[in-house]
Amino acid sequence: MEVKMWRWLFSLFFFFYGVDKIDCSKTVVTIGVLLEDLSSQINIPLNSTIYKKNLFDQRAYFSTKMMQVSSTDTFEASLTLCSMLDSDLGVVAVYSDSIRTIPILESTCTFFEIPFLITNWKSPSPIKRDPEKVRALINFFPEAELFAKGLADIVRSLQWSSFIIIYENEEGLIRMQEILKLQELNPDSKQNNILVMQLGPGPDYRPLLKKIRNTTEDNIILDCNTNKIMMILTQAKEVGMLELHNRYFITSLDAHTLDLSYLNTTANITSIRLHDPKSDDFLNTVHRWELTEFENHNRRVPLDPLSIKTETVLFHDAVLLLTDTVNAMSIRPGINISPLSCNRTETSQDGFTLRKYMLINTPSMTLSGPLKFNDEGGRIDFNIHVVDNIDDTVIATSYAANNSLVLHRDYNQTMDAAVLNLQKITVIVSSRIGEPYLMYRQPSYEGEILTGNNRYEGYSMDLIAGIAKIIGFNFQFEITEKYGNYDPTERRWNGLIGEILEKRAHLAVCDLTITPERREVVDFSMPFMTLGIGILYYKGEADKTTDMFKFLEPFSTSVWIYTATLYLVISIVLYFIARMTPGDWENPQPYEENPEELENIWDIKNCFWLTLGSIMTQGCDILPKGISSRIAVGVWWFFSLIMTSSYTANLAAFLTKASLEAPIDSAEALSKQTKIKYGLLSGGSTESFFANSNFSTYQRMWLNMQQAKPSVFEASNDDGVQRVRNTKNALYAFLMESTQIEYVMATKPDLKRVGDLLDSKSYGIAMPMNSPYRSAINKAVLEMQETGVLEKLKKTWWEKNKEEPKDSEQDTGDETDSLKLGISNLGGIFLVLGIGIAMSCAFAIVEFLWNCRNISVEEHITYMQALKLELKFACNVFITKKRVKPLLSEASSSESEKNEENKNDSKSMIHGILQSAESNLNIVH
Ligand code: ASP
């Protein structure tokens, strides 16, 4: 508002205070101006400044002598200068914009002691000048060496570790000399490369640009004439060199006059200026120029502040300094100006005095910052404004006076610009398949065709979707296999890091660890997860130390069940065999030679006692005498012998195993043993951790892993997990990141993490070095973290496939299972027992039948009657005594009983047994 008012007051003043107010008594001071093109933009500040000076200052009246000068012919240029010096009242100083003729014009002016003003970059003179000899030159363009240093400071502040310099001519190379020295900053780094390429004649710069594209270098310093910049950038866009990851630093001071928005690019373009076209002083001056134009030509020509070239700005300051100094000198004794002829040796009287005062004068209202010169007339104080062309903001200023560079990057503004760029494109996100970060999505119904991002799901997908929602960009997932390692043979990075470096992706996300090596070549977002390396191992081991029933372990459950069942069966079988075999019917009174009845001691209790005594290796006080029962007992003894000795041996092994084997509870413990192999994922940060570790334990582990045969390295974490589960006797442990271990433990309850974490690190989203959108991504990650979204995501994906432990799994998960004696190991002895018992049963039957035959012969009854009698007797478990000679009535009784049974089928078993007991009692008494 104030500025506008000021402008209006200024304009009004101009209208009412006309040019007719000139005081004719003033000294007329003519400024000589040599231009290649008389319609040059410098006319505007020239006219305006002189107009203003003449209007407000009463001491001198300024006029101009303008002549066209040859841009190439130095002789013609010197003639033009001579005619200018000789004209009318002579000139107080000469300005020229002809770069090529500067040397001849300068030496002529020096000869006539007339100040010679220029506004162009001038290469430092290789010839050492005589310090005593005064030169006519005053150059308003910064000193070449200081300017080169300023450029180098700016490149350093851009933090480019490598770049390509495109220069047009030798002068450009001189400007780049300080930048080239940046290579020395880090000569060892494989990334700190500076490539230098010459632009060539043009106008087709595509071959050169394609060559640069193939180097995968993103950072380009472009030093060329302003009128070529648009063409080069347009062609760069055509060859795909104006993408989000491309960064340009344009050294031309007139880049602001170009409308780069035509390029519609997401590339980062940085340029420089010596003035600030947005400052109030500059805008007021430009407005004044407009008004003067209106006064002089009676037409209003709007001037765009951004169209004002640096040369025009510097010329304004030159005229300002000259007129100010002349005015100051005009007071007393005044300034003498007279025409000079090139044919005479007469020199200007006050020319060098004027130059001397100009060098020390410091006018206010300059547009190009502070004016300070050395004795040579070189400008040693100036400011270079570094401009980010995305949003046309000054991000830094280089101050030559105190050799410093101040960054004024407004992070919010830069971030907004970067976000705008991200929104314009489809962000390519490189990732890899690996549970639970990214997995193939199952179609929700048969025949569903999944495309694009729909093909995948997982933590990474949700994370990027969350960030994309906050920033507002579209993204596309692309799959890569590896995480990313430097391959020394191919001299390039592979995997996700390679994708970023080779510009195939804007972001890379998965369980990608932030490592110093990776950080050297790519940028990472702030961490979204923290973790460390842990040891994944089989679960069984811990249980054994607290088992109260360890004594059961030598046999498997099935063996215990079979043995117990067999004990019962054999005892019962023995009981019947003993009853059937005549050998076990003994004379109860040995002194009586012909006893009436025989006794069988093998009741069911004694049978159980005998078998128990044998299997406990204690023996028994009574033993069978019948052949069949002895066979049966014999095989049982054999069975007992094998079982008890197997049990004893195995129990000893089980009990000693625990004390002999140190439990694996740390990396240290792992490293000190050789029985349990351990490995890790190849090509990841875990491998790098061990390969680069200086800690002796990890070095030892790394050596062991490298020497292990077969290889202990796995291509994926999944393979490692499978190997831990499948290796017999838990002889393999897998070194894996803790987040993965957590996930595996949730989904596979037979696995566990052993010991503490070996290190501490984080996962981050990778992106190209110095990515402008890094802050935006960081902000989004932070927001997701603060709102608990990250935590929720982790919970969702880590618990999604969670499995409750199954009993069967726990059983099989016990590592001592393999040591247990199962039915497969002891099947043979069970078989022997079976055969033996079968044999003894067969023998008992034969003996029994033979005995029946003898009875039938001795007692004169039929064989069938004898068989029935004996069978009935053998089956009656309550009878333990037997007549030596059975009564015939037994046979008839049994016959009548049979009839009885036939009559009444519904008689109970107990009734039958009681009946049988009654008949036996009859027999005895
Ligand atoms: N997360 C690791 C990486 O980024 C892979 C690993 O070693 O487990 O390389």
Side-chain angles (χ1 to χ4, degrees):
M1 195 61 193
E2 262 178 40
V3 176
K4 271 194 177 164
M5 256 180 64
W6 196 91
R7 276 190 207 156
W8 272 109
L9 284 173
F10 202 80
S11 351
L12 276 174
F13 189 83
F14 264 71
F15 275 108
F16 293 112
Y17 209 95
V19 76
D20 48 332
K21 301 269 186 223
I22 295 166
D23 183 352
C24 294
S25 63
K26 289 192 257 181
T27 322
V28 175
V29 177
T30 308
I31 303 167
V33 180
L34 295 171
L35 298 177
E36 284 180 6
D37 174 11
L38 289 178
S39 62
S40 160
Q41 198 186 47
I42 68 152
N43 279 301
I44 302 170
L46 179 65
N47 295 336
S48 176
T49 311
I50 286 175
Y51 184 81
K52 186 184 155 201
K53 287 285 170 194
N54 289 340
L55 201 59
F56 291 105
D57 217 306
Q58 304 297 315
R59 288 163 283 183
Y61 177 78
F62 293 99
S63 70
T64 54
K65 173 84 183 160
M66 195 172 291
M67 294 178 83
Q68 189 160 19
V69 68
S70 167
S71 60
T72 49
D73 192 337
T74 51
F75 180 67
E76 204 183 309
S78 68
L79 289 182
T80 313
L81 177 62
C82 283
S83 70
M84 176 178 272
L85 293 176
D86 207 9
S87 66
D88 308 329
L89 300 170
V91 289
V92 71
V94 175
Y95 167 83
S96 171
D97 70 351
S98 171
I99 299 169
R100 294 222 181 125
T101 60
I102 282 176
I104 185 74
L105 298 182
E106 187 199 339
S107 62
T108 311
C109 286
T110 304
F111 179 80
F112 289 109
E113 297 185 5
I114 295 281
F116 178 57
L117 317 181
I118 60 168
T119 51
N120 308 100
W121 180 87
K122 193 170 171 295
S123 64
S125 170
I127 308 157
K128 214 158 162 51
R129 287 181 182 275
D130 178 0
E132 298 297 308
K133 200 163 177 247
V134 182
R135 294 173 69 189
L137 185 83
I138 303 179
N139 189 358
F140 286 80
F141 195 94
E143 260 277 306
E145 279 170 18
L146 291 177
F147 187 65
K149 273 192 184 130
L151 292 183
D153 279 347
I154 293 164
V155 173
R156 199 182 285 117
S157 81
L158 292 174
Q159 296 176 350
W160 292 357
S161 53
S162 65
F163 49 84
I164 292 177
I165 297 172
I166 305 178
Y167 71 99
E168 191 179 2
N169 48 34
E170 278 170 25
E171 289 170 359
L173 216 48
I174 297 170
R175 273 192 290 272
M176 296 295 113
Q177 60 185 348
E178 292 293 326
I179 294 179
L180 287 167
K181 287 183 192 165
L182 293 179
Q183 174 80 56
E184 291 161 18
L185 282 178
N186 190 1
D188 298 332
S189 169
K190 46 186 175 280
Q191 284 299 317
N192 192 13
N193 291 328
I194 300 177
L195 276 179
V196 183
M197 296 183 175
Q198 191 163 13
L199 195 56
D204 184 7
Y205 303 109
R206 290 178 195 85
L208 175 83
L209 292 166
K210 280 182 191 163
K211 213 160 130 192
I212 294 173
R213 189 187 58 194
N214 294 342
T215 64
T216 73
E217 180 56 68
D218 284 338
N219 306 326
I220 293 168
I221 298 175
L222 180 60
D223 185 280
C224 68
N225 200 312
T226 313
N227 56 27
K228 288 189 177 158
I229 294 173
M230 263 327 238
M231 194 192 293
I232 294 169
L233 291 181
T234 310
Q235 292 179 9
K237 186 165 188 183
E238 283 167 23
V239 300
M241 287 271 300
L242 220 55
E243 300 300 317
L244 192 61
H245 50 82
N246 294 115
R247 282 177 290 263
Y248 289 81
F249 173 42
I250 299 172
T251 60
S252 162
L253 288 167
D254 283 334
H256 60 274
T257 60
L258 307 169
D259 189 357
L260 298 180
S261 65
Y262 275 130
L263 295 168
N264 190 22
T265 173
T266 51
N268 186 312
I269 301 174
T270 304
S271 63
I272 49 172
R273 296 168 192 165
L274 288 181
H275 64 286
D276 180 4
K278 287 183 179 171
S279 72
D280 287 348
D281 284 349
F282 190 83
L283 294 174
N284 288 332
T285 307
V286 171
H287 185 65
R288 182 163 52 78
W289 293 351
E290 278 176 353
L291 289 174
T292 320
E293 284 295 292
F294 182 68
E295 271 283 295
N296 290 348
H297 305 106
N298 219 6
R299 62 190 158 95
R300 190 173 285 275
V301 188
L303 275 177
D304 178 2
L306 284 177
S307 68
I308 309 297
K309 293 181 185 166
T310 303
E311 183 190 36
T312 310
V313 171
L314 294 180
F315 181 73
H316 166 269
D317 290 353
V319 175
L320 195 70
L321 179 66
L322 177 68
T323 51
D324 251 28
T325 316
V326 168
N327 269 336
M329 283 179 70
S330 301
I331 301 170
R332 209 184 302 150
I335 186 162
N336 279 316
I337 310 161
S338 52
L340 300 165
S341 167
C342 287
N343 299 327
R344 293 200 301 269
T345 53
E346 202 181 328
T347 60
S348 160
Q349 282 180 31
D350 291 331
F352 273 1
T353 315
L354 172 67
R355 179 181 177 272
K356 201 170 97 192
Y357 284 136
M358 278 179 80
L359 293 185
I360 54 170
N361 196 6
T362 48
S364 55
M365 304 285 283
T366 56
L367 297 181
S368 65
L371 287 179
K372 198 171 171 192
F373 301 91
N374 57 19
D375 291 343
E376 301 274 289
R379 185 168 177 182
I380 52 170
D381 196 2
F382 56 90
N383 305 332
I384 307 176
H385 305 283
V386 186
V387 183
D388 190 342
N389 279 61
I390 294 179
D391 51 0
D392 197 42
T393 48
V394 176
I395 53 170
T397 305
S398 164
Y399 297 98
N402 46 14
N403 194 17
S404 65
L405 184 121
V406 176
L407 295 170
H408 348 265
R409 202 184 279 270
D410 178 341
Y411 280 99
N412 280 339
Q413 248 175 346
T414 320
M415 200 168 78
D416 288 349
V419 164
L420 271 178
N421 275 341
L422 271 188
Q423 288 167 348
K424 281 187 209 161
I425 58 166
T426 298
V427 175
I428 304 297
V429 185
S430 192
S431 190
R432 63 183 292 284
I433 297 290
E435 283 182 39
Y437 298 95
L438 201 70
M439 298 159 280
Y440 288 109
R441 189 196 289 275
Q442 297 302 319
S444 43
Y445 57 88
E446 211 182 309
E448 187 190 10
I449 295 166
L450 298 172
T451 53
N453 291 340
N454 268 340
R455 288 170 293 169
Y456 315 107
E457 61 177 3
Y459 182 91
S460 304
M461 176 63 76
D462 288 358
L463 175 68
I464 294 295
I467 294 171
K469 199 172 159 202
I470 294 169
I471 299 179
F473 62 77
N474 294 318
F475 64 93
Q476 174 67 54
F477 263 70
E478 299 292 346
I479 304 300
T480 310
E481 257 185 39
K482 296 183 176 172
Y483 287 93
N485 257 358
Y486 184 71
D487 186 342
T489 47
E490 292 204 16
R491 305 189 64 199
R492 58 183 279 270
W493 284 80
N494 56 26
L496 296 175
I497 305 294
E499 292 297 294
I500 293 285
L501 289 176
E502 284 160 32
K503 316 289 150 28
R504 286 190 291 271
H506 299 110
L507 298 174
V509 66
C510 69
D511 46 335
L512 185 66
T513 312
I514 305 173
T515 64
E517 300 82 37
R518 289 174 182 165
R519 184 62 194 82
E520 251 188 46
V521 291
V522 296
D523 259 349
F524 278 97
S525 70
M526 64 168 292
F528 59 83
M529 224 181 254
T530 45
L531 60 132
I533 299 173
I535 304 167
L536 182 76
Y537 195 50
Y538 214 70
K539 209 171 194 172
E541 192 190 43
D543 303 339
K544 72 179 181 194
T545 51
T546 54
D547 192 358
M548 279 168 56
F549 296 94
K550 204 161 189 63
F551 62 87
L552 291 175
E553 282 187 2
F555 288 156
S556 67
T557 319
S558 48
V559 170
W560 281 118
I561 293 171
Y562 289 144
T563 310
T565 315
L566 275 177
Y567 165 70
L568 295 174
V569 170
I570 297 297
S571 304
I572 293 165
V573 168
L574 181 66
Y575 169 72
F576 281 107
I577 289 174
R579 288 187 72 82
M580 284 165 73
T581 183
D584 281 322
W585 289 99
E586 290 176 275
N587 180 1
Q589 282 112 17
Y591 48 86
E592 200 172 315
E593 276 191 19
N594 292 312
E596 286 213 340
E597 40 182 51
L598 300 174
E599 194 184 32
N600 193 332
I601 55 167
W602 295 107
D603 58 5
I604 197 79
K605 280 186 294 177
N606 283 345
C607 289
F608 275 113
W609 182 242
L610 171 69
T611 45
L612 187 69
S614 342
I615 202 149
M616 293 293 181
T617 64
Q618 295 307 310
C620 187
D621 44 354
I622 50 169
L623 294 169
K625 289 184 180 153
I627 297 172
S628 343
S629 51
R630 279 184 176 176
I631 293 172
V633 171
V635 284
W636 176 249
W637 282 348
F638 181 63
F639 174 80
S640 303
L641 173 76
I642 301 297
M643 289 305 280
T644 46
S645 32
S646 306
Y647 176 81
T648 316
N650 218 23
L651 181 66
F654 264 80
L655 295 179
T656 48
K657 184 177 177 284
S659 54
L660 288 177
E661 265 181 26
I664 299 303
D665 57 1
S666 64
E668 187 76 24
L670 255 190
S671 73
K672 281 184 181 156
Q673 54 82 55
T674 50
K675 198 173 169 194
I676 300 170
K677 297 270 176 273
Y678 43 91
L680 45 80
L681 173 86
S682 62
S685 60
T686 311
E687 186 181 18
S688 316
F689 169 81
F690 281 95
N692 304 327
S693 179
N694 293 325
F695 187 43
S696 61
T697 305
Y698 303 148
Q699 283 176 343
R700 194 166 53 234
M701 287 175 82
W702 176 239
L703 214 68
N704 286 345
M705 285 190 268
Q706 281 181 308
Q707 288 167 355
K709 291 230 163 49
S711 169
V712 287
F713 299 107
E714 292 297 335
S716 72
N717 282 331
D718 282 351
D719 292 348
V721 172
Q722 283 317 313
R723 190 158 170 185
V724 173
R725 297 182 99 191
N726 296 340
T727 304
K728 260 196 158 189
N729 300 341
L731 290 177
Y732 184 78
F734 192 60
L735 295 150
M736 192 163 76
E737 287 171 336
S738 55
T739 40
Q740 291 289 107
I741 296 183
E742 265 173 58
Y743 178 74
V744 167
M745 281 165 63
T747 51
K748 296 175 180 71
D750 55 327
L751 298 178
K752 65 176 177 182
R753 201 190 90 194
V754 173
D756 294 333
L757 297 183
L758 276 55
D759 64 348
S760 172
K761 48 199 179 186
S762 327
Y763 293 151
I765 302 169
M767 60 195 93
M769 202 64 154
N770 298 323
S771 291
Y773 46 85
R774 186 174 161 220
S775 313
I777 302 274
N778 277 348
K779 206 173 154 211
V781 172
L782 200 66
E783 192 179 319
M784 289 175 81
Q785 202 167 52
E786 276 172 3
T787 50
V789 178
L790 286 186
E791 192 55 40
K792 213 170 126 200
L793 274 186
K794 185 163 179 218
K795 224 170 164 206
T796 310
W797 288 106
W798 262 247
E799 289 182 4
K800 196 166 191 182
N801 302 322
K802 190 171 178 163
E803 246 181 50
E804 292 310 324
K806 287 181 203 151
D807 288 350
S808 60
E809 266 184 0
Q810 274 193 331
D811 271 354
T812 53
D814 195 335
E815 66 154 322
T816 53
D817 269 6
S818 51
L819 293 175
K820 280 183 177 175
L821 293 175
I823 201 70
S824 51
N825 311 92
L826 297 169
I829 187 61
F830 280 85
L831 197 69
V832 170
L833 179 66
I835 295 170
I837 293 296
M839 271 172 59
S840 68
C841 285
F843 210 85
I845 290 166
V846 171
E847 265 192 311
F848 182 77
L849 296 177
W850 186 255
N851 191 36
C852 289
R853 184 203 154 271
N854 289 344
I855 289 172
S856 71
V857 173
E858 279 172 24
E859 301 300 325
H860 307 292
I861 54 174
T862 65
Y863 183 78
M864 282 312 285
Q865 277 177 325
L867 183 66
K868 273 180 198 167
L869 265 176
E870 282 299 305
L871 208 54
K872 195 173 169 189
F873 185 79
C875 294
N876 196 335
V877 294
F878 296 101
I879 299 168
T880 53
K881 285 180 182 170
K882 177 183 167 187
R883 274 183 178 278
V884 177
K885 292 178 189 289
L887 289 175
L888 281 177
S889 59
E890 275 180 42
S892 59
S893 158
S894 72
E895 201 64 32
S896 67
E897 269 171 24
K898 194 189 170 192
N899 292 340
E900 227 11 57
E901 276 167 23
N902 288 342
K903 272 184 214 163
N904 189 5
D905 286 344
S906 62
K907 273 186 184 174
S908 72
M909 201 177 143
I910 296 169
H911 190 71
I913 289 166
L914 285 173
Q915 255 192 343
S916 148
E918 203 180 297
S919 81
N920 277 317
L921 281 173
N922 288 341
I923 292 167
V924 175
H925 303 289

